[in-house]
Amino acid sequence: MTVPGVLTILLFFAVILLITKPFGGYLYRVYTGAPTFLDRLVRPAEAAVYRLTGVDPEQEMSWSTFLLALLVFNLAGLLLLYAVLRLQGFLPLNPRHYPGLSPDLAWNTAVSFATNTNWQAYSGEASLSYLSQLALVVQQFLSPLSGIAMLLAFLRGLTRRNASTLGNFWVDITRTLLWVALPIAGVAALVLVALGSPENFLPYVHVTTLAGSHQTIAQGPVAAMTSIMQLGDNGGGFFNANAAHPYAAPNAASLLFQLVLGFSVPAALTYTFGKWVGDTRQGWAVFAAMAILFLAGTFAAYHFELAGTPALHQLGINDQLGNLEGKEVRFGPALSTLFDTSTTAVSWGSTAAANDSFTPLGSLVLLFNLLTGEVIFGSWGVGLLGMLMYAILAVFIAGLMVGRTPEYLGKKIGAYEVKMAVLTIVVPTFVILGLTALALSTRAGLAGLGNPGAHGLSEALYAYASGVGNNGSAFGGLNAATPFYTWTVGLAMLIGRYPMYIPALAMAASLARKQAVPASAGTFPTHGWLFVVLLLGMVVVVSALDVFPVLSLGPLAEQFARTAGGAP
Amino acid sequence: MLQQSKIAIRMLLLFTLVCGVAYPSVVTGLAQGLFPRQAGGSLVRRHGHLVGSTLIGQRFRGPNWFHGRPSAVGYDAAASGPSNYGPTSPALRKELAANLAKVLRENPGVRPAQVPVDLVTSSGSGLDPDLSPGAALLQVPRVARANHLSAAAVRGLVLRQVRGRWLGIFGEPHVNVLRLNLALDGLRGR
Amino acid sequence: MSSRTRRELPFWNGPLMRRAAGDAWRKLDPRWMFHNPVMFVVETCSFLTSADAVRYLVQERYASFAFVAQIALWLWLTVFFANFAEAVAEGRGKAQAAALRGTKAQTAAKLFVNGEVRSVPSTQLRVGDVVLVEAGDVVPGDGTVVEGAAMLDESAITGESAPVLRESGGDRNAVTGGTKVLSDWIRVQITANPGETFLDRMINLIESQSRRKTPNEIALEILLAGLTLIFVVVVATVEPFAIYSGRAVGLTMLVALLVCLAPTTIGALLSAIGISGMNRLLRRNVVALSGRAIEAAGDVNVIMLDKTGTLTLGNREAESFLPLPGASEAALAEAAFLSSLSDRTPEGRSVVSLARHRYGLSAQAYSLHGATFHPFSARTRMSGVDWQGRIIRKGAVDAVAEHLVAAGGPDPGDALRRMAADISRSGGTPLAVSENDRCLGLIHLKDIVKTGLKERIASLHTAGIKTVMITGDNQLTAQAIAAEVGVDDFLAEATPEKKLDYIQQEKARGNLVAMVGDGTNDAPAMASADVAVAMNTGTQSAREAGNMIDLDSNPTKLIDIVEVGKQILITRGALTTFSVANDVAKYFAILPAMFIPIYPGLSALNIMHLTSPQSAVLAAVIFNAAIIPALIPLSLRGVRYRPAGAAAILRYNLLLYGLGGVVLPFVGIKAIDLLITALGLPGLR
């Protein structure tokens, strides 16, 4: 590792650490209705939204109504997006006259953006009109809102006593949009333009290059999309190459800014969580567990990427910059790796380098981040929610080990809660492993693999892990646009999102109904280092035990097979 | 059920207008007003003609230009993408070997150990506009010879084009190939 | 009252073990195994591998047969060991039940029918019948003494041979079927039909096969079933991945992996832990009427303890005589002495004893002919003596003051009340003594805190359990004693209503409350408490309201009960952690064995350097099976519980069972691998 490389990672994370408290505090104020500096601008808008849509902001929802509202809202968004993608040939803002997407691809893409996955089986600049891109932008704003609403409902379940309601879905998403998503995305978009990204609706530019050949340069509202796709941890970039594209991230400063955008809400939510439960140490404990997992993975991946590959070593060239296949020179190995471990941890899914070309152990880190269930910060709301599921299981074991019926934040964890938490872990494992096995045993699945052998296995595994985790990044060699992958990955994205909501909300409702137990010396404290260690252990052990066999045949086989092959 | 569905549809339509129409219009308007060059794609003109974008790499052939990195998409700026070869892929080995052979062939006298890794690997976007300083310097003798310029002058040209790490820490030092070739063109024209 | 424990059965008890082995064999019936999902999966795997072994045998592939047959054998042993653990725990309970049943022989009862006594078999008695039990008779069923008093031998139930008094009225009116009247006679109204008596319930409880699972046990079973399910999927998908990678790994390898990954250790020992917890309580002479109650005991965060008899010795003792100004200490001592001579209460006797020891007074020195003694009465709240014109009274300060005013004397005034308050504040009880119309001074009665109790209260405090002292004393006295004992809170001038209120307040705050009770007036509070331990000496209604019964009637045992409750949970948690932590090493044994034929480079994962793929898998399976019997003693005994803060306990247990669980199997599997390689078992190459 180089000094600037290590500093890149550490300084970046220091920035995240710095913004977590103020931003988390701001979010807490927004959701508890406390005054914020934006109120004068936004309060009237909020009232207007409720008036126009007929929402009674005072009305509380039971968990089933909450779930219903969420599902209907998501379904409506999905259908609208599907319609736009199918009909783009007949719609305006289509300077390249792209035809409508095929049903599989439109379905896959609509699911992908409605679930906050942003898996891109299409190639942005080569198949979507500006209008379609804007329709994607709409979902990039709306899909993360549902995640936040889920988290808020769960937090209410944790903190309310003898209650039967979990808040109001419409209020949660409206506030998030008006106080968080829109203002930040707007400002961030301008920052991105200032740092070099284009923002226009011009036709693609045709130039005669210096050397005399012709080049068509894609244009579009790149900054507006990049801004919300990073902020909302969506990850669906304007271009096929996503954040590696020089328009999407023209320089290190722009890429770092995007990293901060992506981390901002998930990191801040840990603090909001602490405020919500009345003890910020609880939030910092969860933050610490996430931070340790993130930094350990990032440094490991950086080490492997910088170490390069035997294929490069064999050439006898100067490979000081490490494994630069699929990476951009302006970013280099440290920043590229940081961005891609972040994309799998925080679940935004845009990549600044080709994950498919990562070293085997570097890609092991990426896969591991995905396979934890995207709880290392994770995307808006659902990342923290997933981590809290692990926390509940950790507390369950810990509670037994200290001789008390386990409780988390004063709420007793009973059979029902354990059942729901187990479901949120069992179902994704089923889907990821099951679909990967299906892909590797069928001709259609095998046909889509872009690389042979162990690496091909990693490609398929990555696709479903990314789909179920609603991440959206890919081992790009996989031909995701074939019907087999559009349908199976689409299924993975759907199962990874909505069925996971049901146990989480049901648990929230069950917790809300409970009385709270006051903490005492006999209560296992969930704010100290011991809890952090336990939580880490839970995440690592549970995810590692599930996937050790498949990782052995994927990245580990790729790594050790080539070492055994005699190459230095 | 019906009530929530009605709200859902109204809210979706309202938010679609806000996020899909108002937001991009406002952002684009402001961006065009405040940062017209960037918002327009950082395009470069030479003698009044568009020759490209400083941000987008383009293909340079022939001995008298500095060459950029290999591109998996042939520098097609309407279809970006990486090679997506796995690290142990036989195709990758073949490709790397071919790239190296090309560099060695085009730059006689260069030993493999002098070839920086960016010259044999393709980039993440296929449109990487930059080279590492070493990769540009490696081409100096060839470019100078082909353009009948002194190696020292061309070398100075390259060194002036080197951009360091941002804040001395982030990213890697790099040279923008289009800018370098434009500067080279200027030097040639004098 | 002693808190003796029953003699513990030695772990290695021949007949018990033989019976358990038989039971374990019978439990292999899949219909029975189905109730334990983890072990059911293992049994299914055993069937599959056995079938696979037969296939190899038929195909005459003897090397493969030898290997697979050994795996199958060890899988069957795994299931057997699990059943054995459960059977041992049940067997120990049954042995205790058998001892109880010995006392349940049918007896003849003397039933009152229309005023006449008729002899009927005890099995015909019904609730409401009234029977006569005389010296030498066995009490024919549970009941309440409605008339008379008798000494009973309750050793059959309590194991305590000292006779106890049972009498009508008051809080000592309950008798238990199977106990024996030693002297006198009593009339008993039967309160339980045959088959529903206390003894029956105890026997049933101990024997019951269909023990109801406790909430935490159910939750843990869900977690274990979930983990098992995940591993089923993980293992099932290994085959397609392996086939894609170039070569199938085969059924036996997959099954071995599944069994090793599934949480078999805790799955096998889970029910044994629960059963043995109940047995451990029984050994301390506490009968829990449900497992749920034991578990609740571990969760309790408020314990209500009666002051008298629990925290302090039942009797207060006179500590000093405090004369009022103008009276001499000697005169006070003498008056106190004389007034207490007829007072048979422990307090009265302690006054006499203090006067005798400190002032050399002796009853012989007085000729008490013609003295009129006034025993203590609830109406006057005084006792005393009228003798040779001296009217001496002793009693509550207010009562004596009233008496003096009535007698025309001066009110003793503030000086007396101040002195009385001082005594109260120090935790004592003041008794005023008067002679004729003059108050002489006060007797300071002091509560004696039981030895060793302060430490136990302190350890409860460390464990985060709030202790509350219940007392009829006034606020000041209660405060002083509370401070001396170290309890966190107290309830002074307690009435049944106040107790109930207090419990409900604590419950509203989310606390779980435990209490001990014996009197009928405790019943409402007991019914409301989460854990209510009834004293065996208590009334029938108290026993009905409680969810545990302490046969020794030793209220301090509530603390033991809490510890046993915690121990059960800790044992489950520790073994779960251990079980899951074991998986790490098992992976490193089995995965290389499975995948080296596909990718030889993966031998890098064989960090234990096990001899061959076959020996590695067999060693892991053997370790997995052998760890179960090795941990049976621990699961029966329970892991060590020491009162400490939760974080300290967790840190310790995580290190021991978590880290230990990771490390131990590496050592164990390596050792077994060396051993089976040295033995040259067939099929390992």
Side-chain angles (χ1 to χ4, degrees):
Chain A
M1 288 188 237
T2 66
V3 174
V6 171
L7 281 180
T8 295
I9 296 167
L10 290 181
L11 286 178
F12 160 70
F13 202 76
V15 171
I16 299 307
L17 194 61
L18 280 179
I19 62 169
T20 294
K21 183 175 170 179
F23 190 32
Y26 171 76
L27 293 177
Y28 180 69
R29 301 178 73 78
V30 168
Y31 296 122
T32 50
T36 65
F37 70 100
L38 280 178
D39 283 5
R40 239 175 332 140
L41 217 60
V42 180
R43 281 249 182 265
E46 185 192 12
V49 169
Y50 298 149
R51 206 171 47 246
L52 287 170
T53 55
V55 169
D56 173 6
E58 300 302 320
Q59 197 177 16
E60 287 273 329
M61 293 178 173
S62 68
W63 80 273
S64 46
T65 312
F66 200 98
L67 182 68
L68 176 77
L70 185 152
L71 290 179
V72 175
F73 183 65
N74 277 259
L75 180 67
L78 193 155
L79 293 177
L80 179 67
L81 178 56
Y82 178 81
V84 170
L85 294 174
R86 292 282 288 137
L87 300 175
Q88 79 172 4
F90 307 102
L91 296 170
L93 282 180
N94 188 0
R96 305 273 289 175
H97 308 292
Y98 289 132
L101 295 189
S102 72
D104 336 334
L105 202 54
W107 182 76
N108 178 283
T109 307
V111 168
S112 163
F113 280 76
T115 56
N116 192 17
T117 310
N118 289 217
W119 171 264
Q120 295 170 290
Y122 64 94
S123 159
E125 69 269 41
S127 50
L128 289 191
S129 71
Y130 290 156
L131 186 80
S132 297
Q133 297 272 29
L134 289 182
L136 297 183
V137 167
V138 171
Q139 277 307 316
Q140 290 185 326
F141 271 104
L142 301 189
S143 67
L145 305 185
S146 296
I148 290 268
M150 276 296 305
L151 177 71
L152 293 177
F154 192 80
L155 293 185
R156 293 188 187 108
L158 270 179
T159 46
R160 288 183 177 179
R161 298 171 183 196
N162 307 320
S164 56
T165 57
L166 298 173
N168 183 314
F169 174 76
W170 307 117
V171 172
D172 289 344
I173 63 168
T174 305
R175 290 211 171 138
T176 311
L177 184 69
L178 297 181
W179 267 270
V180 185
L182 270 175
I184 299 180
V187 173
L190 292 178
V191 173
L192 289 174
V193 177
L195 289 172
S197 289
E199 176 62 32
N200 59 51
F201 287 89
L202 303 172
Y204 290 8
V205 176
H206 301 281
V207 300
T208 306
T209 65
L210 207 53
S213 57
H214 294 280
Q215 194 179 31
T216 301
I217 304 176
Q219 298 292 318
V222 178
M225 188 169 189
T226 306
S227 151
I228 184 59
M229 78 108 163
Q230 282 302 129
L231 175 67
D233 297 321
N234 293 287
F238 196 89
F239 301 104
N240 185 43
N242 217 329
H245 196 289
Y247 268 172
N251 45 50
S254 174
L255 196 71
L256 274 166
F257 180 66
Q258 294 179 37
L259 271 164
V260 173
L261 274 183
F263 261 90
S264 58
V265 173
L269 282 174
T270 61
Y271 186 80
T272 311
F273 158 69
K275 287 285 277 184
W276 204 286
V277 301
D279 179 2
T280 49
R281 293 174 307 172
Q282 301 280 354
W284 286 119
V286 173
F287 181 95
M290 292 172 166
I292 291 169
L293 285 169
F294 172 73
L295 288 175
T298 300
F299 277 113
Y302 172 48
H303 167 77
F304 295 124
E305 291 311 303
L306 195 62
T309 65
L312 290 170
H313 298 320
Q314 278 170 349
L315 298 176
I317 58 171
N318 168 5
D319 58 358
Q320 265 178 355
L321 288 181
N323 175 23
L324 215 60
E325 178 68 29
K327 293 190 180 66
E328 302 281 297
V329 168
R330 62 190 181 284
F331 303 144
L335 201 49
S336 301
T337 310
L338 171 64
F339 194 88
D340 283 18
T341 55
S342 301
T343 204
T344 48
V346 190
S347 188
W348 60 69
S350 59
T351 53
N355 286 353
D356 217 345
S357 300
F358 263 48
T359 60
L361 296 183
S363 66
L364 182 73
V365 172
L366 303 181
L367 270 166
F368 182 79
N369 286 350
L370 294 179
L371 291 168
T372 58
E374 311 245 3
V375 298
I376 309 173
F377 295 101
S379 60
W380 285 27
V382 288
L384 179 56
L385 194 57
M387 192 53 122
L388 293 181
M389 295 293 148
Y390 278 111
I392 280 170
L393 290 181
V395 158
F396 179 73
I397 301 284
L400 292 183
M401 267 200 289
V402 300
R404 284 199 23 157
T405 292
E407 63 209 50
Y408 187 46
L409 302 167
K411 293 297 180 98
K412 289 216 156 138
I413 306 303
Y416 189 75
E417 283 73 27
V418 170
K419 191 188 290 177
M420 295 301 130
V422 166
L423 264 182
T424 62
I425 291 175
V426 171
V427 173
T429 310
F430 269 38
V431 178
I432 294 172
L433 292 179
L435 287 178
T436 309
L438 181 72
L440 295 178
S441 339
T442 53
R443 193 167 299 169
L446 292 169
L449 298 182
N451 280 281
H455 196 80
L457 187 143
S458 302
E459 264 178 9
L461 177 68
Y462 196 101
Y464 297 110
S466 172
V468 168
N470 296 138
N471 180 286
S473 67
F475 269 22
L478 185 84
N479 188 353
T482 62
F484 179 86
Y485 284 103
T486 52
W487 287 99
T488 52
V489 175
L491 188 69
M493 293 188 287
L494 278 180
I495 297 179
R497 188 119 172 137
Y498 302 113
M500 288 300 95
Y501 282 171
I502 299 170
L505 268 182
M507 191 198 295
S510 155
L511 290 172
R513 279 193 292 271
K514 292 186 187 207
Q515 172 65 271
V517 188
S520 72
T523 317
F524 166 57
T526 51
H527 56 251
W529 280 107
L530 192 58
F531 175 70
V532 174
V533 170
L534 192 73
L535 187 54
L536 282 176
M538 200 72 201
V539 174
V540 171
V541 168
V542 169
S543 1
L545 290 182
D546 295 354
V547 296
F548 200 178
V550 67
L551 292 181
S552 303
L553 290 176
L556 288 176
E558 195 177 7
Q559 169 73 19
F560 290 118
R562 72 176 200 189
T563 325
Chain B
M1 172 97 198
L2 193 66
Q3 191 206 355
Q4 301 299 336
S5 310
K6 275 187 199 157
I7 295 176
I9 290 167
R10 286 191 213 121
M11 204 160 253
L12 177 67
L13 295 179
L14 179 64
F15 285 176
T16 299
L17 290 179
V18 171
C19 307
V21 179
Y23 162 78
S25 314
V26 170
V27 167
T28 308
L30 286 173
Q32 294 285 347
L34 294 171
F35 313 105
R37 186 179 57 83
Q38 293 96 317
S42 306
L43 301 177
V44 202
R45 287 168 195 277
R46 191 183 62 146
H47 313 313
H49 297 288
L50 278 178
V51 293
S53 163
T54 51
L55 295 180
I56 303 295
Q58 42 185 256
R59 187 196 294 276
F60 290 96
R61 271 185 262 222
N64 49 345
W65 296 112
F66 283 96
H67 299 175
R69 298 180 62 187
S71 163
V73 295
Y75 284 102
D76 179 349
S80 57
S83 74
N84 280 321
Y85 289 139
T88 53
S89 145
L92 175 68
R93 280 173 194 264
K94 229 166 89 185
E95 171 100 7
L96 292 177
N99 289 341
L100 179 61
K102 183 161 170 278
V103 171
L104 297 177
R105 193 173 61 240
E106 289 173 351
N107 299 284
V110 168
R111 282 173 292 110
Q114 294 172 308
V115 179
V117 68
D118 51 315
L119 268 187
V120 298
T121 51
S122 43
S123 63
S125 60
L127 301 173
D128 195 338
D130 302 312
L131 281 177
S132 66
L137 290 172
L138 176 145
Q139 303 180 42
V140 165
R142 181 199 80 221
V143 173
R145 208 166 31 248
N147 290 304
H148 312 293
L149 293 166
S150 81
V154 176
R155 194 181 162 78
L157 202 65
V158 171
L159 291 178
R160 274 196 299 282
Q161 289 291 335
V162 172
R163 296 281 169 274
R165 297 186 172 96
W166 186 55
L167 305 180
I169 293 169
F170 302 101
E172 291 293 336
H174 55 274
V175 179
N176 183 297
V177 183
L178 179 58
R179 285 183 200 276
L180 177 60
N181 280 329
L182 281 169
L184 176 70
D185 195 43
L187 196 66
R188 255 188 328 216
R190 245 187 282 140
Chain C
M1 275 174 273
S2 74
S3 92
R4 286 168 347 98
T5 56
R6 283 166 197 266
R7 199 169 55 85
E8 189 178 349
L9 284 165
F11 173 68
W12 200 253
N13 173 312
L16 209 63
M17 289 291 150
R18 274 194 297 280
R19 193 152 358 103
D23 286 345
W25 176 252
R26 274 186 291 282
K27 285 174 184 224
L28 287 178
D29 184 340
R31 284 167 301 180
W32 172 259
M33 293 302 301
F34 196 70
H35 79 281
N36 183 341
V38 180
M39 297 319 293
F40 182 73
V41 166
V42 180
E43 188 172 43
T44 310
C45 289
S46 313
F47 273 116
L48 289 176
T49 22
S50 304
D52 210 26
V54 172
R55 183 172 65 92
Y56 283 124
L57 189 62
V58 172
Q59 292 172 348
E60 300 183 8
R61 291 160 68 182
Y62 294 116
S64 297
F65 165 73
F67 171 64
V68 176
Q70 287 179 79
I71 296 283
L73 172 71
W74 282 101
L75 294 189
W76 281 114
L77 279 175
T78 310
V79 184
F80 178 80
F81 289 149
N83 290 345
F84 183 69
E86 193 179 69
V88 167
E90 283 170 357
R92 291 158 76 82
K94 277 184 194 157
Q96 279 160 329
L100 282 176
R101 196 182 288 108
T103 65
K104 217 193 123 193
Q106 203 187 58
T107 50
K110 296 169 182 168
L111 179 67
F112 281 96
V113 183
N114 305 324
E116 285 178 31
V117 173
R118 191 184 296 170
S119 181
V120 297
S122 60
T123 46
Q124 286 178 13
L125 293 177
R126 289 294 176 270
V127 172
D129 289 350
V130 176
V131 296
L132 176 70
V133 194
E134 294 172 297
D137 291 349
V138 170
V139 178
D142 292 2
T144 307
V145 181
V146 290
E147 190 186 345
M151 298 305 286
L152 272 81
D153 172 9
E154 294 194 339
S155 60
I157 294 185
T158 64
E160 177 67 61
S161 52
V164 292
L165 177 71
R166 296 287 181 226
E167 59 192 355
S168 61
D171 287 345
R172 291 168 182 267
N173 63 5
V175 290
T176 309
T179 57
K180 199 169 175 187
V181 173
L182 296 176
S183 67
D184 304 302
W185 57 267
I186 42 176
R187 278 195 201 196
V188 173
Q189 184 165 30
I190 297 297
T191 52
N193 290 327
E196 297 164 10
T197 65
F198 182 61
L199 203 60
D200 291 317
R201 274 194 289 163
M202 252 173 92
I203 294 170
N204 274 340
L205 195 78
I206 296 165
E207 285 192 322
S208 78
Q209 303 273 350
S210 58
R211 195 174 53 86
R212 274 185 61 195
K213 288 171 181 165
T214 60
N216 281 322
E217 197 175 355
I218 294 170
L220 182 55
E221 279 197 344
I222 290 171
L223 179 66
L224 297 180
L227 277 177
T228 309
L229 199 61
I230 288 180
F231 289 131
V232 168
V233 175
V234 167
V235 171
T237 51
V238 162
E239 194 68 337
F241 296 149
I243 291 171
Y244 165 83
S245 305
R247 187 169 165 173
V249 294
L251 180 72
T252 302
M253 285 286 190
L254 293 175
V255 159
L257 179 63
L258 175 59
V259 170
C260 286
L261 290 182
T264 47
T265 313
I266 178 67
L269 298 173
L270 192 57
S271 56
I273 295 169
I275 297 171
S276 69
M278 216 175 250
N279 293 346
R280 270 205 304 285
L281 270 186
L282 198 62
R283 245 185 6 249
R284 297 188 196 198
N285 270 346
V286 175
V287 181
L289 300 182
S290 74
R292 199 176 274 260
I294 306 181
E295 199 164 276
D299 282 348
V300 154
N301 28 24
V302 176
I303 291 190
M304 318 247 308
L305 297 164
D306 279 321
K307 183 198 79 177
T308 309
T310 306
L311 298 176
T312 60
L313 293 173
N315 319 325
R316 284 177 288 202
E317 282 181 10
E319 198 201 42
S320 57
F321 299 119
L322 303 169
L324 274 174
S328 75
E329 195 174 329
L332 171 62
E334 189 198 29
F337 175 73
L338 290 174
S339 67
S340 302
L341 281 175
S342 68
D343 185 348
R344 309 306 299 171
T345 63
E347 285 86 355
R349 279 198 294 249
S350 78
V351 171
V352 172
S353 150
L354 180 70
R356 185 182 295 143
H357 288 120
R358 202 167 302 165
Y359 300 93
L361 299 176
S362 133
Q364 282 81 37
Y366 299 89
S367 55
L368 291 166
H369 292 296
T372 314
F373 288 101
H374 296 273
F376 178 84
S377 85
R379 195 177 52 80
T380 60
R381 294 190 290 154
M382 290 188 299
S383 62
V385 62
D386 300 344
W387 177 58
Q388 295 180 350
R390 297 168 74 176
I391 302 171
I392 300 172
R393 289 292 181 274
K394 174 195 80 183
V397 174
D398 291 346
V400 170
E402 260 171 51
H403 157 75
L404 289 175
V405 172
D411 186 277
D414 289 343
L416 181 71
R417 295 213 160 75
R418 251 197 319 277
M419 279 171 64
D422 284 344
I423 293 175
S424 290
R425 246 191 304 282
S426 72
T429 307
L431 285 182
V433 180
S434 70
E435 180 164 349
N436 300 336
D437 60 354
R438 202 161 76 93
C439 183
L440 297 176
L442 296 171
I443 305 170
H444 181 172
L445 291 178
K446 196 171 186 256
D447 272 307
I448 310 298
V449 175
K450 284 187 178 175
T451 47
L453 208 84
K454 278 164 89 165
E455 291 71 24
R456 300 203 75 173
I457 298 289
S459 73
L460 284 175
H461 186 84
T462 338
I465 296 171
K466 173 176 162 188
T467 45
V468 182
M469 180 182 84
I470 304 173
T471 172
D473 293 339
N474 65 43
Q475 200 73 18
L476 284 176
T477 313
Q479 197 169 0
I481 300 176
E484 190 184 343
V485 182
V487 293
D488 299 294
D489 195 8
F490 61 90
L491 187 61
E493 287 157 6
T495 59
E497 295 76 38
K498 273 181 137 179
K499 282 194 214 177
L500 188 60
D501 284 352
Y502 194 93
I503 291 178
Q504 280 170 348
Q505 265 175 35
E506 287 294 345
K507 286 184 76 167
R509 260 181 246 149
N511 286 321
L512 257 68
V513 184
M515 71 168 288
V516 172
D518 52 3
T520 301
N521 60 13
D522 284 332
M526 290 177 77
S528 170
D530 300 280
V531 175
V533 183
M535 297 292 101
N536 192 39
T537 52
T539 59
Q540 193 62 31
S541 61
R543 278 165 38 165
E544 302 262 311
N547 45 20
M548 287 192 206
I549 294 175
D550 179 13
L551 301 173
D552 294 339
S553 304
N554 172 4
T556 322
K557 233 192 284 173
L558 187 51
I559 301 173
D560 293 345
I561 295 170
V562 167
E563 290 187 358
V564 169
K566 286 191 177 296
Q567 222 186 1
I568 296 173
L569 291 189
I570 296 177
T571 309
R572 286 200 195 117
L575 290 183
T576 304
T577 310
F578 182 81
S579 196
V580 174
N582 275 348
D583 283 359
V584 177
K586 292 173 190 165
Y587 258 137
F588 279 102
I590 297 182
L591 279 191
M594 275 169 66
F595 296 148
I596 284 173
I598 305 173
Y599 293 109
L602 284 179
S603 59
L605 293 181
N606 182 10
I607 53 178
M608 282 180 273
H609 298 288
L610 303 179
T611 316
S612 71
Q614 287 79 6
S615 77
V617 173
L618 187 60
V621 170
I622 292 177
F623 178 85
N624 192 55
I627 197 74
I628 296 172
L631 288 175
I632 290 178
L634 179 72
S635 62
L636 293 186
R637 200 177 60 232
V639 305
R640 203 162 64 87
Y641 172 75
R642 57 204 171 100
I649 299 180
L650 183 68
R651 198 158 38 235
Y652 177 82
N653 286 331
L654 262 187
L655 269 182
L656 190 61
Y657 297 98
L659 199 60
V662 172
V663 174
L664 181 70
F666 276 105
V667 179
I669 291 174
K670 177 69 185 171
I672 295 172
D673 179 73
L674 288 176
L675 182 70
I676 56 181
T677 309
L679 286 177
L681 293 180
L684 295 189
R685 199 50 274 203

